């Protein structure tokens, strides 16, 4: 919890190039800038932003006449956090927001309140795609990318049709689910997986994959997946996997907090008392998670216990891959029930560091590495241009 708080302080002031800024010139003066490139912190920096674009970052940057000045002594600026695996269903918007698209925008506003300025929605309804199409980088909420609905067809034809429907609707990614849920359900057949990969190739869409097992991860890389969207959680990753991951250049997204959400509500979690959580937390959801019957079920849940073990495996693999030079990339799977958008991103950073990454590695994973994973060249760092 100490780590979580210190990261929260660090990210108290977050800015994304091109986001949340009106058409005008603003200078952010006197703070320190961690620019997301891997360079050292710039102390007593001046960062000038014109019409949503950074034009200067340095201790000696000139401030044009008529510039609005924001003093940031004692604060650290970092690039906005980029969640490469999130969900925006509209679950978290205020009760009086009725319109489905407005509810989705409400989720994106909540992410932004916690400094999460980009969310890649890996498996939500078609309305998300409509919101994505009508978005502008200057909107006061997190930037949105979307994979449309998760594809999990039982036959090649069904999977192909789902993939085509998503592609026709204008998605940025396709999202597959190859998992047997700890042996409790049927895994998507490989010929159906191949059908989706084929549509991805035809339409120029990368395929992000939900998975659990190492052998599936290897096969999916061979088949051309564009993102490992969860940790390998059954065993240590081996050299064969490391080599194929490095060769493919695709990103590996641990989503550690997904595991946490499966067991943490068995007892009242300590973060329910964290002001950084309670400030924006949805009270109905806290109430639901705090019901004695729900807590008892969670405490007794076999899958929760198994995912708790899987979390340890996930952390070990994250460190093995980071040390091997693989692009370990920030993503949380936050947004569904029990996974609070925004706060869970900070919990994820704390878990990445708790699992063995350095704070710098975790923050790079959430900024420039994540931007490159999503193919977004103009975000993820605080640099002129
Ligand atoms: Zn997900």
């Amino acid at each position: 919890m100490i780590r979580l708080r210190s990261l929260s302080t660090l990210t108290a002031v977050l800015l994304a190039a091109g986001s949340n800024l009106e058409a005008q010139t603003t200078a952010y003066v006197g703070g320190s800038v961690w620019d997301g490139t891997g360079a050292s912190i710039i102390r007593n920096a001046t960062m000038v932003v014109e019409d949503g674009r950074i034009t200067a970052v340095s201790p000696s940057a000139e401030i044009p006449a008529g510039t609005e000045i924001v003093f940031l002594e004692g604060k650290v600026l970092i690039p906005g956090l980029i969640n490469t695996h999130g969900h925006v269903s509209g679950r978290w918007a205020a009760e009086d927001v009725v319109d489905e698209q407005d509810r989705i925008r409400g989720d994106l506003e909540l992410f932004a309140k916690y400094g999460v300025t980009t969310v890649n929605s890996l498996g939500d309804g078609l309305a998300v795609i409509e919101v994505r199409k009508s978005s502008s980088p200057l909107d006061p909420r997190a930037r949105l990318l979307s994979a449309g609905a998760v594809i999990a067809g039982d036959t090649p034809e069904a999977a192909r049709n789902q993939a085509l429907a998503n592609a026709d609707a204008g998605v940025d990614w396709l999202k597959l689910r190859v998992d047997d849920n700890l042996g409790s359900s049927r895994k998507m057949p490989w010929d159906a997986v191949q059908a989706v990969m084929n549509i991805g190739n035809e339409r120029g869409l990368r395929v992000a994959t939900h998975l659990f097992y190492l052998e599936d991860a290897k096969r999916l890389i061979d088949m051309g997946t564009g993102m490992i969207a969860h940790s390998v959680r059954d065993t240590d990753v081996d050299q064969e996997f490391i080599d194929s991951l490095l060769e493919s250049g695709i990103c590996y997204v641990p989503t550690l907090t997904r595991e946490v959400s499966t067991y943490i509500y068995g007892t009242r979690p300590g973060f329910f008392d964290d002001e950084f959580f309670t400030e924006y937390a949805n009270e109905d959801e806290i109430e639901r998670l705090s019901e004695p019957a729900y807590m008892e079920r969670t405490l007794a849940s076999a899958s929760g216990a198994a995912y708790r073990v899987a979390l340890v495996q996930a952390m070990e693999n994250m460190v093995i891959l980071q040390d091997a030079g693989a692009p370990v990339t920030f993503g949380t799977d936050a947004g569904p029930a029990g996974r609070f958008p925004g706060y869970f991103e900070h919990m994820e950073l704390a878990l990445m560091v708790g699992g063995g990454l350095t704070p710098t590695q975790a923050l790079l994973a959430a900024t420039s590495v994540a931007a490159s994973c999503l193919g977004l060249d103009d975000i993820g760092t605080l640099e002129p241009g």
Side-chain angles (χ1 to χ4, degrees):
M1 205 41 100
I2 287 163
R3 282 206 177 99
L4 183 56
R5 284 180 192 285
S6 64
L7 277 167
S8 308
T9 309
L10 183 65
T11 49
V13 179
L14 287 146
L15 291 164
S19 141
N20 304 348
L21 300 165
E22 289 169 20
Q24 60 177 27
T25 303
T26 308
Y28 299 86
V29 175
S32 298
V33 170
W34 182 87
D35 68 8
T37 66
S40 308
I41 282 194
I42 307 164
R43 311 244 172 235
N44 194 20
T46 293
M47 183 170 87
V48 182
V49 179
E50 291 181 26
D51 297 341
R53 290 270 155 196
I54 296 170
T55 56
V57 190
S58 85
S60 56
E62 268 184 40
I63 301 174
T67 297
E68 182 197 359
I69 295 186
V70 179
F71 292 98
L72 294 176
E73 280 87 352
K75 303 236 189 305
V76 178
L77 272 78
I78 71 167
L81 302 177
I82 300 169
N83 185 356
T84 64
H85 181 170
H87 292 275
V88 281
S89 59
R91 179 186 184 89
W92 305 91
E95 215 168 81
D96 58 348
V97 181
V98 182
D99 179 77
E100 190 180 7
Q101 292 188 24
D102 284 342
R103 292 196 64 80
I104 288 164
R105 291 185 189 96
D107 283 10
L108 294 168
E109 281 160 23
L110 180 55
F111 274 113
K113 282 176 180 160
Y114 283 93
V116 182
T117 50
T118 302
V119 178
N120 188 27
S121 152
L122 283 188
D124 297 295
L126 291 179
V128 174
I129 303 169
E130 296 309 312
V131 172
R132 194 271 192 257
K133 284 181 186 163
S134 61
S135 301
S136 145
L138 296 179
D139 290 338
R141 62 185 77 95
R143 178 187 289 98
L144 178 63
L145 299 181
S146 170
V150 175
I151 302 164
D154 277 341
T155 65
E157 197 189 6
R160 184 184 150 79
N161 288 338
Q162 287 175 26
L164 280 173
N166 284 347
D168 289 345
V171 293
D172 303 283
W173 288 78
L174 297 173
K175 166 80 182 294
L176 270 181
R177 193 178 159 81
V178 179
D179 196 359
D180 65 358
N181 299 297
L182 302 170
S184 70
S185 62
R186 183 166 176 248
K187 209 185 280 180
M188 186 170 174
W190 290 105
D191 54 0
V193 172
Q194 187 60 55
V196 177
M197 296 291 180
N198 293 346
I199 299 298
N201 284 333
E202 280 169 27
R203 297 298 190 92
L205 292 167
R206 286 183 288 171
V207 180
T209 319
H210 169 117
L211 52 76
F212 185 90
Y213 302 100
L214 176 62
E215 290 309 315
D216 291 346
K218 287 180 183 175
R219 187 161 179 174
L220 285 158
I221 292 176
D222 284 348
M223 293 173 83
T225 187
M227 179 197 287
I228 305 286
H230 288 290
S231 288
V232 169
R233 286 161 281 171
D234 61 324
T235 184
D236 278 3
V237 291
D238 58 16
Q239 196 59 46
E240 185 192 357
F241 175 75
I242 294 168
D243 290 345
S244 65
L245 186 64
L246 287 172
E247 198 179 316
S248 71
I250 63 170
C251 37
Y252 175 95
V253 185
T255 66
L256 303 174
T257 40
R258 192 221 80 98
E259 257 50 52
V260 171
S261 72
T262 64
Y263 66 81
I264 194 77
Y265 304 112
T267 53
R268 189 175 186 279
F271 67 78
F272 276 8
D273 297 318
D274 182 356
E275 272 175 35
F276 190 59
F277 172 76
T278 54
E279 187 171 3
Y280 303 117
N282 183 304
E283 285 176 17
D284 291 343
E285 183 67 352
I286 294 175
E287 209 170 291
R288 185 183 75 80
L289 297 168
S290 304
E291 276 170 18
Y294 180 84
M295 290 173 74
E296 267 170 44
R297 267 201 317 279
T298 306
L299 196 58
S301 158
S303 64
Y307 286 127
R308 189 172 196 151
V309 174
L311 173 62
V312 177
Q313 183 67 66
M315 286 174 156
E316 285 173 13
N317 282 337
M318 172 183 72
V319 174
I320 294 170
L321 292 169
Q322 179 76 41
D323 289 348
V328 171
T329 308
F330 183 73
T332 59
D333 211 3
R339 298 183 218 152
F340 293 84
Y343 188 81
F344 263 46
E345 276 65 24
H346 291 263
M347 192 191 286
E348 183 81 23
L349 284 172
L351 285 171
M352 290 172 93
V353 173
L357 264 53
T358 67
T360 299
Q361 286 171 337
L363 285 172
L364 286 172
T367 53
S368 51
V369 175
S372 134
C373 170
L374 296 180
L376 300 172
D377 298 336
D378 60 345
I379 61 168
T381 60
L382 298 178
E383 294 177 287

